[in-house]
Amino acid sequence: MAAGLNPSTVELLKRFNRAFPQFYEQFVSSEIQLQNLRLAYQLYKQRKAVLDIKPEGNKSALHFVYRNQSFLLSDIFGVLAAYGLTIHNLSLYGQIYPPMLVFIKLVVSRGGKALSPKTTENVCRAIQETLAGHFEVEEMLTVEFNLNAGLERVETEFYVDPVFHLPALLIEADNQPGLFYKVMYAIWQEDLLVVNANLLVWRGRTRLILYLLGPNESLIPDYLGQKIADGMRYRLMS
């Protein structure tokens, strides 16, 4: 981690990393750690969500950082669904201690291609406007999707991850438009905070493992976790 960095930057990075779960320094590369530190400083300077979309091969990479809140992912994935974007990869690192920032990278495409400059501009504006409360995501989505339609073949499971020592919720369902938004909307309805995520899309199925904090940024006991898993399955299928 210290290679090529001056001692003051190394010390700052160490203090910054203490706000993340224990696994962060072990499993996240030093390059990403340093990039997240720079994004945090950018957020501090501009006092609003940091959002950047750039081409990455034949896809686009969306980078985002802001104060983590339960509605945040619902808003972001709702905008992506409204613009018909396909999500190929998701990286999410959230802090579990103040200032509770969340760092997200999404690899997306539209029509099998990277986003055009105009689409990039529109998506960035829509996300910022949604976060500012200037319009509701659901109003954008009702034109394209039947939000009352449930997901197909949903499976959910709650457990405490033995490596990360965090409550985890596994959600698996058949692929369909708006799936990510519906999952994140259900997360919001349960007042949960996502602090890490793994995504696998394979053979027409999407599997998400979401590492969570409960209401008021608390740990989730086992007895409540299973109720949450059952509640999530009901929300997603109904």
Side-chain angles (χ1 to χ4, degrees), residues 59-167:
K59 301 178 180 68
S60 293
L62 182 156
H63 290 272
F64 177 91
V65 57
Y66 199 46
R67 168 75 159 78
N68 204 353
Q69 298 166 82
S70 59
F71 66 83
L72 194 68
L73 296 180
S74 174
D75 282 353
I76 293 173
F77 284 94
V79 170
L80 301 186
Y83 279 92
L85 305 189
T86 299
I87 298 168
H88 302 276
N89 196 15
L90 165 64
S91 298
L92 186 152
Y93 304 107
Q95 296 176 330
I96 60 173
Y97 302 110
M100 300 296 294
L101 303 181
V102 63
F103 300 81
I104 302 169
K105 179 185 177 183
L106 284 159
V107 178
V108 299
S109 67
R110 191 181 194 189
K113 299 178 181 179
L115 276 58
S116 69
K118 184 62 176 177
T119 300
T120 295
E121 178 185 348
N122 290 340
V123 169
C124 287
R125 182 186 301 114
I127 291 175
Q128 293 285 14
E129 291 289 304
T130 301
L131 294 178
H134 294 162
F135 54 80
E136 296 291 333
V137 171
E138 286 194 21
E139 294 179 7
M140 303 168 61
L141 289 169
T142 49
V143 177
E144 299 290 337
F145 304 109
N146 177 10
L147 296 181
N148 295 321
L151 299 178
E152 298 292 331
R153 294 200 302 150
V154 178
E155 298 176 17
T156 60
E157 178 187 351
F158 175 86
Y159 61 97
V160 176
D161 190 281
V163 176
F164 296 166
H165 306 290
L166 282 172

Side-chain angles (χ1 to χ4, degrees), residues 9 13 20 87 118 141 154 163 165 200 207 214 227-228:
T9 301
L13 188 59
F20 291 90
I87 298 168
K118 184 62 176 177
L141 289 169
V154 178
V163 176
H165 306 290
L200 175 65
R207 170 179 283 196
K227 289 183 180 179
I228 290 173

